[in-house]
Amino acid sequence: MSVKNTTIVLGLQHGDEGKGKITLHHSRSDRFTHCFRFNGSSNAGHSVYLNGQKVITHIIPTGILFGLKGIIGPGCVLNEKMFFEELEDISKVIPNASELIRISFNTHIVSDEHIKEELTESKIGTTRRGVGPSYRDKYARIGKRAEQIKSFEPFIVDVFEELYQKQDISVLCEGAQAINLDIDWGDYPFVSSSHCGVGSVVNNGIPYTSIKSVEGVIKCYETYVGSKQFQDPNDPMLDKIGDLGQEFGATTGRRRQVNYIDLNRVNKAIRMNSVNILHINKMDILRELNCWKVILNNEIVKLKSEKTFKKVLKYNLGIKNIKYYYSPE
Ligand code: IMP
Ligand code: MG
């Protein structure tokens, strides 16, 4: 007895690719018993539309909105107050949410001190959710874990007992942040403090032989929130893309910097994570602006049409299975 099937949804840019939408599609499909968060914290913000209503999840996996059992894994870090606030919010939409959500006993805690420590942080431009300080204390072996928090008692599980002692388990793993924010593979130090790639899933206790699909999610342009210079201030088209695409952070409300899609970086992310399906969001934005530009070998290349854009992507990303999306839902 073990996990029969695992699908992983990963962000392949800098976060905010629209992973929530892909997750939502899978959650509706009846193919999964569990949804699983394997990295990050309340720094994430996944916007999903449920019957036309916008719901934002932060640390609780989105799949529970569709009745899946949810697990917050040991690769995450968790603040008690933020967890219960989010649970209360989600319970308005899903009344039995607290019966569905579980926390792995060995998930580390973001303390109020960790959050205070970050209140004036601006060098990286973090979400100020205490994420870095919490992982720091975890690795310094002075952190607190979920099993030590009284109010978490009814929610605590052991991933081994939950996933390996039962039959017919299929897990939908919901990535947070993205490859370019990965602590090892991102643009250090302008990164988050967790492992955002496919390897992180296995470290959370999910058997690698159960992984049947790794689904990458990107936008047809790129956005980034944080302190590094990312957007060319002399290219007004980038502001137009940001405005039309409503590029504001779901967690902090900050304006996201915009750039064209970097095909070499996406190609690398696809190959290093064994991605077998690529979802490309927000095609409607570039279509409306009729702006088909990519970055290839560090140069901006202007393409003549949407058709050429798709051809160039297929060729340079080295993946055949690509799905394009043209609307927010
Ligand atoms: P932290 O994760 O709060 O430490 O922030 C580190 C960097 O990652 C900052 O540039 C954040 O803006 C960025 N970041 C963290 N979580 C997300 C996310 O869910 N979407 C987009 N950017 C994020
Ligand atoms: Mg987000």
Side-chain angles (χ1 to χ4, degrees):
M1 280 188 284
S2 184
V3 184
K4 189 178 67 178
N5 162 41
T6 296
T7 290
I8 304 168
V9 177
L10 287 184
L12 301 186
Q13 291 164 321
H14 319 264
D16 310 314
E17 299 91 349
K19 296 179 283 295
K21 179 161 87 172
I22 307 307
T23 307
L24 180 136
H25 168 78
H26 283 306
S27 304
R28 279 189 176 134
S29 73
D30 271 359
R31 283 170 39 229
F32 299 96
T33 55
H34 288 71
C35 52
F36 197 109
R37 266 290 294 275
F38 57 90
N39 76 303
S41 187
S42 302
N43 50 353
H46 292 165
S47 313
V48 294
Y49 292 83
L50 204 64
N51 309 322
Q53 199 186 340
K54 188 172 173 177
V55 185
I56 301 179
T57 60
H58 296 286
I59 180 65
I60 294 179
T62 316
I64 80 160
L65 298 173
F66 300 89
L68 304 188
K69 282 185 162 184
I71 299 180
I72 298 171
C76 301
V77 292
L78 181 63
N79 177 260
E80 190 181 359
K81 184 163 167 273
M82 286 183 193
F83 171 78
F84 282 108
E85 276 173 8
E86 190 178 334
L87 185 58
E88 197 181 316
D89 266 2
I90 288 182
S91 299
K92 288 176 197 148
V93 194
I94 302 292
N96 66 337
S98 54
E99 285 153 39
L100 296 172
I101 187 70
R102 293 294 175 263
I103 302 167
S104 187
F105 75 94
N106 47 356
T107 303
H108 272 255
I109 297 303
V110 179
S111 68
D112 296 339
E113 285 69 35
H114 291 146
I115 295 171
K116 266 191 215 128
E117 210 183 303
E118 273 208 312
L119 277 180
T120 53
E121 194 286 328
S122 62
K123 190 175 140 246
I124 308 298
T126 70
T127 60
R128 299 183 176 173
R129 297 296 189 272
V131 173
S134 172
Y135 281 109
R136 177 200 62 209
D137 284 357
K138 166 177 170 167
Y139 286 101
R141 292 158 295 177
I142 54 172
K144 241 188 179 179
R145 306 202 294 186
E147 61 184 343
Q148 291 165 267
I149 306 293
K150 188 121 189 63
S151 62
F152 283 159
E153 262 171 28
F155 299 94
I156 292 292
V157 290
D158 181 326
V159 169
F160 180 69
E161 280 162 17
E162 185 67 24
L163 299 184
Y164 289 71
Q165 315 293 336
K166 295 172 189 166
Q167 247 166 349
D168 291 337
I169 302 282
S170 8
V171 185
L172 176 61
C173 290
E174 304 183 10
Q177 288 82 51
I179 300 307
N180 293 331
L181 294 174
D182 179 274
I183 184 76
D184 289 326
W185 293 101
D187 191 8
Y188 193 90
F190 297 101
V191 293
S192 193
S193 297
S194 69
H195 298 278
C196 309
V198 74
S200 180
V201 169
V202 179
N203 277 339
N204 272 259
I206 295 192
Y208 81 87
T209 47
S210 72
I211 300 169
K212 299 289 186 287
S213 185
V214 182
E215 311 208 358
V217 187
I218 61 171
K219 287 190 285 215
C220 53
Y221 51 90
E222 301 200 348
T223 61
Y224 158 83
V225 257
S227 296
K228 77 174 171 189
Q229 181 70 44
F230 182 75
Q231 178 172 339
D232 175 0
N234 300 315
D235 183 346
M237 179 53 89
L238 296 173
D239 272 335
K240 283 188 196 161
I241 294 173
D243 287 340
L244 197 61
Q246 293 184 25
E247 296 297 348
F248 296 91
T251 299
T252 58
R254 289 178 292 173
R255 191 182 173 93
R256 297 170 182 152
Q257 299 186 62
V258 180
N259 205 350
Y260 304 110
I261 182 172
D262 186 326
L263 297 183
N264 303 90
R265 283 193 89 161
V266 177
N267 174 296
K268 177 178 165 188
I270 287 173
R271 294 169 67 189
M272 288 187 74
N273 291 281
S274 308
V275 171
N276 55 283
I277 302 178
L278 183 66
H279 301 277
I280 306 188
N281 279 318
K282 292 209 159 170
M283 287 292 285
D284 50 314
I285 305 299
L286 294 192
R287 187 184 263 183
E288 187 153 338
L289 295 167
N290 194 28
C291 169
W292 304 106
K293 289 184 184 175
V294 299
I295 297 177
L296 194 55
N297 305 325
N298 296 316
E299 283 189 22
I300 297 173
V301 182
K302 189 174 189 300
L303 304 166
K304 67 173 195 282
S305 67
E306 182 174 340
K307 200 171 157 193
T308 324
F309 180 84
K310 287 183 173 173
K311 258 193 199 160
V312 168
L313 258 58
K314 194 167 207 168
Y315 182 76
N316 288 285
L317 297 180
I319 183 165
K320 285 203 185 79
N321 199 352
I322 300 181
K323 289 188 176 146
Y324 292 95
Y325 298 84
Y326 289 85
S327 71
E329 286 197 53

